[in-house]
Amino acid sequence: MFLTECPRDAMQGWGEMIPTQQKIDYINRLMEVRFDVLDCGSFVNPKTMPQMADSGIVVDEIDKSLSNTKLSVVVANLRGAEKALSHEQIDILGFPFSISETFQHRNTNKSREEAFTEVVNILELTKSEGRQLNLYFSMAFGNPYGESWKWEDVDFWSKRFEEIGIKDVLLSDTTGVGDVERISLLFNKIPAKYPNINFGAHFHNRYEDSYIKLKAAYDEGCRRFDSAIKGIGGCPMAKDDLVGNMPTEKVFTFMQSEKIDIQQNLLHFESAYNMAKDIFHF
Ligand SMILES: CC(C)(COP(=O)([O-])OP(=O)([O-])OC[C@H]1O[C@@H](n2cnc3c(N)ncnc32)[C@H](O)[C@@H]1OP(=O)([O-])[O-])[C@@H](O)C(=O)NCCC(=O)NCCSC(=O)C[C@@](C)(O)CC(=O)[O-]
């Protein structure tokens, strides 16, 4: 299994400012867990996302000698991509492209077509710098805005992005509206049609729904999951009330129950979990 831990998603909407040094210490502890990727910051408008304004300082201070974990950050426009790429420690940029037109506007102040053009430019720049560009397909499983949803829309955008050479897409359930039926449908239909794209699941859900959602995706062949300790977080641009992330401890419990080999260091995970308790007060 390919696992991404998302402290960025956990922190970005947190009401109380987390001190920069505490973020650095926490992310360094997560490095020792040996996740495949840490989604660890974002380069967006600091007025919109004040908690992430120090991402440049944070990524520069991460000790990459602790493990082979790659560092990923969110960028939502070309300017953010340029800034992120000036930090050598960053391996991956992640752009939030939305299947919902409404959410594309809310999140990045663009239409989907404008965002598509932005991705074309960011991809060119990212490749020229020898780094990777991932896409999040936000609202891939539906949206809370009353817009219609059909799997063919995800298919349409997968095709468009495959044509320009996107290789990594996280099917994201931004507000946790996706049910088991939709999860099974998307993971059954989409990855098989686009073998050049490596699809993963970026779920948001209630704590108690974790197992059934993981199982639905896993049973259709998904082997790549994003999560955050205790399910803290979510996208403040999506809804007034945040829907938590997939809790990482639930991913590990799922893996144990399915007898899937866990490559991460669970002692360091326990220690990171305890640090998360101090930061997020749970
Ligand atoms: C995308 C923008 C920046 C466009 O914002 P905009 O309003 O179109 O940009 P603009 O060019 O009109 O500039 C407006 C202001 O933003 C500044 N600005 C503009 N760009 C940058 C930049 N890169 N870095 C720093 N500052 C920037 C710019 O300087 C200006 O500042 P002002 O003059 O008002 O002081 C804005 O809409 C924004 O910041 N959005 C927030 C996006 C975000 O962080 N969303 C959360 C992460 S995505 C997510 O959580 C979903 C995900 C990934 O988890 C998957 C899922 O579950 O769906």
Side-chain angles (χ1 to χ4, degrees):
M1 293 265 271
F2 187 98
L3 299 185
T4 296
E5 174 69 18
C6 302
R8 182 269 317 163
D9 216 337
M11 290 173 180
Q12 67 183 8
W14 195 249
E16 146 198 327
M17 288 306 278
I18 304 165
T20 303
Q21 191 56 48
Q22 196 175 23
K23 290 177 184 165
I24 294 165
D25 293 343
Y26 179 52
I27 293 170
N28 276 329
R29 191 63 53 87
L30 290 170
M31 286 294 289
E32 295 181 298
V33 183
R34 291 197 237 114
F35 291 100
D36 294 286
V37 176
L38 288 180
D39 170 0
C40 65
S42 62
F43 290 78
V44 297
N45 183 354
K47 286 188 189 145
T48 313
M49 211 55 83
Q51 186 69 258
M52 307 316 289
D54 58 359
S55 284
I57 303 170
V58 171
V59 294
D60 287 348
E61 291 301 319
I62 296 173
D63 183 354
K64 289 190 86 176
S65 72
L66 290 170
S67 67
N68 292 327
T69 300
K70 291 194 169 162
L71 299 182
S72 179
V73 295
V74 163
V75 300
N77 59 9
L78 186 60
R79 180 170 155 198
E82 285 163 352
K83 277 197 189 176
L85 291 169
S86 72
H87 295 267
E88 283 179 6
Q89 299 228 78
I90 295 172
D91 304 289
I92 303 165
L93 306 189
F95 184 93
F97 181 85
S98 174
I99 300 302
S100 149
E101 184 74 14
T102 303
F103 185 60
Q104 194 71 65
H105 281 280
R106 283 178 73 130
N107 200 25
T108 69
N109 198 21
K110 284 191 170 48
S111 68
R112 286 175 297 179
E113 282 301 336
E114 287 167 339
F116 181 83
T117 305
E118 198 80 343
V119 171
V120 172
N121 295 328
I122 293 173
L123 180 61
E124 193 182 329
L125 182 66
T126 309
K127 273 186 176 168
S128 73
E129 292 283 333
R131 293 345 137 87
Q132 180 177 325
L133 177 63
N134 292 356
L135 287 192
Y136 297 89
F137 272 4
S138 294
M139 307 289 174
F141 301 87
N143 63 80
Y145 313 120
E147 289 176 1
S148 67
W149 177 89
K150 47 187 191 318
W151 75 267
E152 288 88 347
D153 293 337
V154 181
D155 186 35
F156 172 82
W157 288 107
S158 300
K159 187 169 188 318
R160 296 274 308 269
F161 284 112
E162 190 198 43
E163 281 165 3
I164 63 164
I166 288 291
K167 302 232 176 303
D168 294 86
V169 172
L170 283 317
L171 298 178
S172 305
D173 189 8
T174 318
T175 54
V177 298
D179 55 16
V180 163
E181 204 178 313
R182 286 188 184 185
I183 292 170
S184 301
L185 182 68
L186 275 200
F187 279 101
N188 175 278
K189 295 260 186 212
I190 302 292
K193 286 190 76 174
Y194 303 98
N196 295 329
I197 299 180
N198 184 1
F199 288 91
H202 180 98
F203 289 144
H204 290 261
N205 49 271
R206 292 199 310 274
Y207 210 74
E208 59 274 22
D209 294 336
S210 306
Y211 181 85
I212 52 166
K213 292 197 173 189
L214 288 166
K215 176 104 176 112
Y218 184 80
D219 283 352
E220 293 298 339
C222 179
R223 297 291 181 270
R224 180 174 180 172
F225 292 93
D226 289 8
S227 62
I229 287 177
K230 198 67 182 170
I232 305 286
C235 182
M237 316 295 285
K239 258 175 109 195
D240 295 335
D241 52 330
L242 292 184
V243 182
N245 281 283
M246 172 60 70
T248 308
E249 60 278 16
K250 290 283 189 183
V251 175
F252 286 140
T253 308
F254 172 78
M255 289 172 75
Q256 277 160 346
S257 72
E258 298 290 317
K259 303 197 170 21
I260 301 164
D261 191 29
I262 295 176
Q263 302 284 332
Q264 285 65 37
N265 182 320
L266 292 181
L267 278 179
H268 285 305
F269 178 70
E270 201 175 311
S271 164
Y273 188 92
N274 287 332
M275 271 178 107
K277 277 186 184 170
D278 288 340
I279 300 173
F280 301 112
H281 318 302
F282 60 85

